Amino acid sequence: MTSTRSTRFPERVAAPGKGGVGASPLRPDGTLKVKGEFAYSSDLWMDGMLWGATLRSPHPRARIVALDIAPALAVAGVHAVLTCDDVPGRKHYGLDHTWDQPVLAIGEVRHQGEPVALVAADHPEIARRAMRAIEIEWEVLEPVTDPVAVVEDPQTHRVQERGGIARHQPVRVGDIEVGRALADVVVSEKFEVGIQDQAFLGPESGLVVPTEDGGLEFFVATQWMHNDLSQIAPCLRLPYEKIRMTLAGVGGAFGGREDLSMQIHAGMLAMYTGRPIKMVYNREESFFGHVHRHPAQLWYEYGATRDGKLTFAKVRIVLDGGAYTSATLNVTGNASSLALGPYEFPHLEVDAYGVYTNNPPCGAMRGFGAVQACFAHESMMDKLADALGLDPVHIRQINVVTQGSKLATGQIVHAPTPLREMLGQLERMPLPEPLDADDIRNLPGGASQTTHGEGVVRGIGYGVGIKNICFSEGFDDYSTARVRLEVVAGEPVALVHTAAAEVGQGLVTVEAQIARTELGVDRVTIHPADNGVGDAGSSSASRQTYMTGGAVKTACEAVRARVLELAVAQGHTGAAKLAGGKVVARDGAVLAALVDVLDEGFVEETRVYQHRPTTGMDPVTGQGNSHTQLAVCVHRAVVDVDVELGLVKVVALDAVQDVGKIMNRLSLEGQIHGGSVQGLGLAVMEEIQVTDGKVRNPSFTDYLIPTILDTPSQRLEILENPDPHAPYGLRGAGEPPTLSSTPAIVSAIRQACRAAGGTGDLTRVPVRPTDIIRSR
């Protein structure tokens, strides 16, 4: 991959201190992970531990008529077999206090893979054998699998007590009929987005250890340990102080670890047996053990004047959340508020629905409702451009929001949002060389030799994405950090302690960079993330650098202020800052060494950081300042398509993204590359196949994800337009590339199909070979 090094403010320099903000120090876990030496949660081990296993439903909807665990208990080496009757406390859990998901099935199951019983045994194979010995008599019921039918008749298609619709969020501005009368061209289309899996490589796993005080110690891979704790404690009927949680090595997340998986189950088994319990899902179980991206059906109608100015939009979005709520309420809010992307419409009508079905459970995944909407609104911009005979980049530039614009929800865009310039910059980037048919690895199908260039056509497409950063809609979003500055072995050392989950995004590196910058020291130690410090919130919504970075910065500032007070008290008048391990005056003169000021003592401060408040969306109009920050990314995709075989090769996937402030360029580029490729997966290959509520491809053999052979060259232009409300002016950067890459790729495929004389009517992702052949 190639990355250019262009920024909006080239005069900015890296902050002082080795490896401070703006530098790119190597990740402390990077080498270990590359060499296969990093300890993940699945590597945990303790003498005397037992292995846990979960029996799951083979049916998407069924009643449990009878359940006999005696055959499993009779298996040698089995120490426990537990059902819903053995849950010590509350029998349901759930995100955001929804509390609708059973710890273990209570009389019925509502999706394939729902947990029914638990086993603890001396060996994992014994646990699996005992699990298969459990006898269940089922009354299989007809599953509810059509989310649109649920919207139309939620009482008849009722999956659980809450009803059929988890949330309906409308957005209303102006008068649709007035906008329609102003339009010279009206276009409409229905779109569909399949179920994408987070596809993290580290399966759900962890170790739970009973403690001498009657509590439990959890070593688990999660995205938000304090939220886990708030669900675990009531279900196990343990006081919060009796549960200690430490983050184990996380092998990827992307939203799939926001919900609980094995935590309560392992805790139940540990309490019952009095022994440490280890649980590790295999790959197939992992597909059933976590939520996925919401599949969506989306109906869009746009109007525009002859010169391309948008006049109205009418949108209906139906998101399938599966049997339980998980993050559906918030995903629906995001989909409705960002349904029209970064474009201005004087008249609009949006209705977004999140519904319950017996299909696979869905919740948080990178992009969180905005991905589905982005595919639709960018496809509509292309459709309008075609209808009006306008350039697809130009029609976007005419209508994109700028600083001071209003979004569909009435929220004002306060920070710089230079989308017009970004699109122009993207369009000016060099295009890749023409197709080299002499090397078959460059062709669609690659070394499979499906073609030697016959039927291969090149296409170019664009996509624009806008994503909310941090939690929205009035959520009390905060993060806590504790920072200590002390002398260790004759050197000043900072210790940073947060509960923020490092899930592979590089947060621990950024925490150290902030401490070096603010405290003027080289040596920084990151304390293991645990619940021995206050809540840091979830490693999701691209929020941790913003929120926990803000908390670390604020705590460091408090430490620095106290150190400077100490220095002044010791006679170092004029002490103004810390740099290079020294106390320095405002004019740069060195006044004292930090080790001398601290002597044998230390300075420690804990601070809580909160972003500016947001509000909920009005339940009727959808209006409100629901988002803290908005981040934007634009993509240009170049694809080669074999229009006869339906095969696609993404040749280039270039991007321009505004990040506010580059904290660590190396990590940032990795986030943009990774997010772009995840969007590529959704565009052309990734989908959980479901028939009548049953998953047909729960394996990495049949669920395809992009490999290095599918990954194109990516040229990046990274801009720095600071957000005045954010620490260092930064913008969350991990999610926006996942939005805009998908529609850019599909747009390029459409162009190639039309260049070959076809219709290019591609309205569903992932695009299948049969879709391409049909659109020729």
Side-chain angles (χ1 to χ4, degrees):
M1 297 180 183
T2 57
S3 300
T4 61
R5 309 238 164 187
S6 169
T7 62
R8 179 58 58 92
F9 297 112
E11 72 274 10
R12 290 179 176 269
V13 296
K18 180 180 177 182
V21 169
S24 291
L26 295 179
R27 294 173 51 146
D29 56 343
T31 301
L32 293 173
K33 287 177 175 176
V34 170
K35 295 173 69 176
E37 297 172 355
F38 184 80
Y40 291 97
S41 55
S42 56
D43 297 314
L44 295 167
W45 186 273
M46 180 171 281
D47 288 343
M49 73 182 188
L50 301 174
W51 293 80
T54 306
L55 176 66
R56 298 178 179 274
S57 167
H59 308 293
R61 189 180 189 189
R63 291 194 183 95
I64 300 172
V65 178
L67 191 156
D68 186 2
I69 64 173
L73 286 168
V75 175
V78 170
H79 292 256
V81 181
L82 306 180
T83 67
C84 65
D85 295 333
D86 300 299
V87 178
R90 194 164 187 167
K91 295 185 183 293
H92 295 80
Y93 65 94
L95 289 178
D96 299 331
H97 308 291
T98 50
W99 300 98
D100 65 344
Q101 187 153 343
V103 174
L104 293 168
I106 306 171
E108 64 179 303
V109 294
R110 296 182 176 90
H111 68 87
Q112 183 190 23
E114 181 159 346
V116 176
L118 308 173
V119 175
D122 292 327
H123 189 276
E125 186 51 46
I126 296 173
R128 286 190 286 269
R129 194 182 313 143
M131 187 178 67
R132 291 191 292 267
I134 297 172
E135 297 177 357
I136 303 180
E137 181 183 344
W138 299 98
E139 179 190 353
V140 178
L141 304 174
E142 185 71 23
V144 174
T145 60
D146 183 353
V148 177
V150 176
V151 172
E152 294 170 349
D153 188 353
Q155 291 306 312
T156 300
H157 302 89
R158 192 182 183 96
V159 170
Q160 58 154 294
E161 290 77 6
R162 290 173 179 266
I165 299 176
R167 181 178 182 181
H168 168 215
Q169 180 58 62
V171 182
R172 301 286 189 269
V173 172
D175 186 324
I176 286 291
E177 295 311 315
V178 172
R180 196 184 299 276
L182 294 171
D184 296 309
V185 169
V186 175
V187 296
S188 61
E189 191 61 81
K190 178 191 175 185
F191 302 98
E192 191 172 349
V193 177
I195 305 178
Q196 186 179 24
D197 187 64
Q198 293 85 353
F200 43 72
L201 296 185
E204 293 82 349
S205 53
L207 179 71
V208 180
V209 183
T211 57
E212 292 181 355
D213 64 355
L216 294 173
E217 191 159 5
F218 286 75
F219 300 90
V220 292
T222 179
Q223 289 179 243
W224 189 356
M225 65 181 67
H226 279 79
N227 197 43
D228 287 4
L229 177 62
S230 70
Q231 298 171 80
I232 294 168
C235 292
L236 297 183
R237 195 175 289 170
L238 284 174
Y240 282 62
E241 60 270 17
K242 288 291 185 74
I243 297 177
R244 268 80 72 189
M245 302 195 70
T246 301
L247 185 71
V250 183
F254 310 113
R257 299 187 200 270
E258 280 199 51
D259 294 77
L260 296 181
S261 57
M262 47 66 63
Q263 288 94 319
I264 297 175
H265 296 164
M268 286 175 59
L269 292 171
M271 290 177 68
Y272 187 89
T273 63
R275 301 266 295 273
I277 298 291
K278 179 176 181 176
M279 296 188 80
V280 181
Y281 292 179
N282 62 28
R283 182 58 58 192
E284 179 175 337
E285 185 176 15
S286 180
F287 272 90
F288 295 106
H290 64 258
V291 297
H292 317 286
R293 187 185 301 287
H294 288 71
Q297 297 181 60
L298 312 97
W299 292 261
Y300 274 62
E301 184 181 19
Y302 280 6
T305 61
R306 289 186 185 86
D307 59 1
K309 194 68 177 174
L310 296 166
T311 65
F312 82 93
K314 184 178 177 64
V315 173
R316 185 183 186 222
I317 299 172
V318 177
L319 299 156
D320 185 348
Y324 302 112
T325 305
S326 182
T328 294
L329 303 179
N330 299 319
V331 169
T332 305
N334 264 19
S336 61
S337 66
L338 301 175
L340 302 175
Y343 303 105
E344 293 186 279
F345 288 83
H347 306 280
L348 60 94
E349 183 177 304
V350 175
D351 288 280
Y353 299 86
V355 306
Y356 299 109
T357 69
N358 296 116
N359 290 321
C362 293
M365 185 176 172
R366 193 180 201 166
F368 205 81
V371 162
Q372 297 90 326
C374 187
F375 170 61
H377 66 63
E378 289 307 284
S379 298
M380 288 298 288
M381 295 304 289
D382 282 348
K383 195 174 183 72
L384 262 181
D386 288 342
L388 291 165
L390 295 176
D391 178 81
V393 172
H394 179 59
I395 196 171
R396 286 170 168 85
Q397 290 175 317
I398 292 172
N399 292 288
V400 289
V401 296
T402 60
Q403 190 170 4
S405 296
K406 278 187 180 181
L407 295 174
T409 58
Q411 183 161 359
I412 303 296
V413 179
H414 290 293
T417 308
L419 278 166
R420 291 174 187 166
E421 296 82 356
M422 291 168 68
L423 280 161
Q425 194 169 347
L426 183 67
E427 194 174 29
R428 291 190 296 272
M429 281 188 186
L431 287 166
E433 293 297 318
L435 174 69
D436 178 11
D438 292 334
D439 189 340
I440 59 172
R441 292 173 298 180
N442 296 328
L443 301 174
S448 300
Q449 298 198 59
T450 54
T451 181
H452 287 272
E454 316 91 334
V456 176
V457 182
R458 177 160 289 186
I460 300 172
Y462 292 85
V464 180
I466 185 168
K467 176 66 177 65
N468 62 308
I469 304 301
C470 300
F471 293 153
S472 300
E473 296 195 66
F475 189 91
D476 185 19
D477 195 4
Y478 64 91
S479 183
T480 312
R482 182 180 300 141
V483 175
R484 172 189 289 223
L485 187 61
E486 60 188 334
V487 177
V488 178
E491 289 186 60
V493 178
L495 174 65
V496 178
H497 188 185
T498 76
E502 168 62 70
V503 297
Q505 80 276 40
L507 177 66
V508 293
T509 311
V510 171
E511 288 180 342
Q513 289 178 255
I514 292 171
R516 292 189 191 104
T517 296
E518 300 300 328
L519 298 177
V521 298
D522 285 339
R523 290 183 58 190
V524 179
T525 302
I526 305 298
H527 191 287
D530 59 26
N531 67 331
V533 67
D535 194 352
S538 176
S539 288
S540 61
S542 303
R543 63 176 290 284
Q544 282 295 10
T545 301
Y546 190 124
M547 296 303 298
T548 298
V552 172
K553 181 177 186 289
T554 306
C556 285
E557 289 169 346
V559 168
R560 184 178 65 216
R562 281 188 55 194
V563 170
L564 293 175
E565 289 174 2
L566 279 174
V568 171
Q570 294 170 12
H572 304 297
T573 305
K577 58 183 179 179
L578 307 180
K582 311 292 183 183
V583 177
V584 181
R586 199 171 302 279
D587 63 3
V590 174
L591 302 178
L594 257 180
V595 293
D596 295 329
V597 173
L598 293 169
D599 196 17
E600 297 300 316
F602 64 88
V603 175
E604 181 177 281
E605 292 289 342
T606 301
R607 289 292 184 273
V608 175
Y609 180 82
Q610 291 181 285
H611 58 63
R612 57 182 178 151
T614 59
T615 64
M617 298 176 68
D618 185 279
V620 177
T621 66
Q623 300 302 289
N625 293 314
S626 58
H627 299 311
T628 302
Q629 186 188 65
L630 295 156
V632 290
C633 181
V634 297
H635 270 94
R636 182 185 66 191
V638 179
V639 304
D640 285 337
V641 182
D642 189 319
V643 296
E644 296 175 355
L645 300 176
L647 299 177
V648 176
K649 181 176 179 61
V650 182
V651 178
L653 193 54
D654 302 327
V656 180
Q657 184 165 340
D658 189 347
V659 302
K661 167 67 178 175
I662 298 173
M663 302 292 286
N664 181 313
R665 182 179 287 274
L666 191 61
S667 290
L668 172 64
E669 291 177 354
Q671 286 288 294
I672 299 174
H673 287 149
S676 300
V677 173
Q678 206 159 33
L680 182 157
L682 178 60
V684 295
M685 64 181 70
E686 291 190 46
E687 183 177 13
I688 294 179
Q689 302 281 341
V690 179
T691 302
D692 297 327
K694 291 190 174 183
V695 176
R696 295 164 51 199
N697 58 334
S699 74
F700 282 166
T701 300
D702 301 309
Y703 180 90
L704 303 180
I705 58 176
T707 69
I708 194 168
L709 295 177
D710 303 297
T711 303
S713 170
Q714 293 185 8
R715 183 185 298 272
L716 306 181
E717 297 283 354
I718 300 173
L719 310 184
E720 294 183 281
N721 290 298
D723 180 342
H725 302 287
Y728 301 108
L730 67 86
R731 297 175 192 256
E735 291 177 285
T738 309
L739 275 66
S740 48
S741 54
T742 299
I745 291 167
V746 178
S747 176
I749 298 171
R750 288 194 196 103
Q751 191 197 66
C753 291
R754 288 170 183 159
T759 64
D761 291 334
L762 302 172
T763 59
R764 187 186 189 282
V765 287
V767 176
R768 300 165 177 162
T770 51
D771 299 330
I772 294 171
I773 294 169
R774 195 162 36 240
S775 71
R776 286 180 55 199

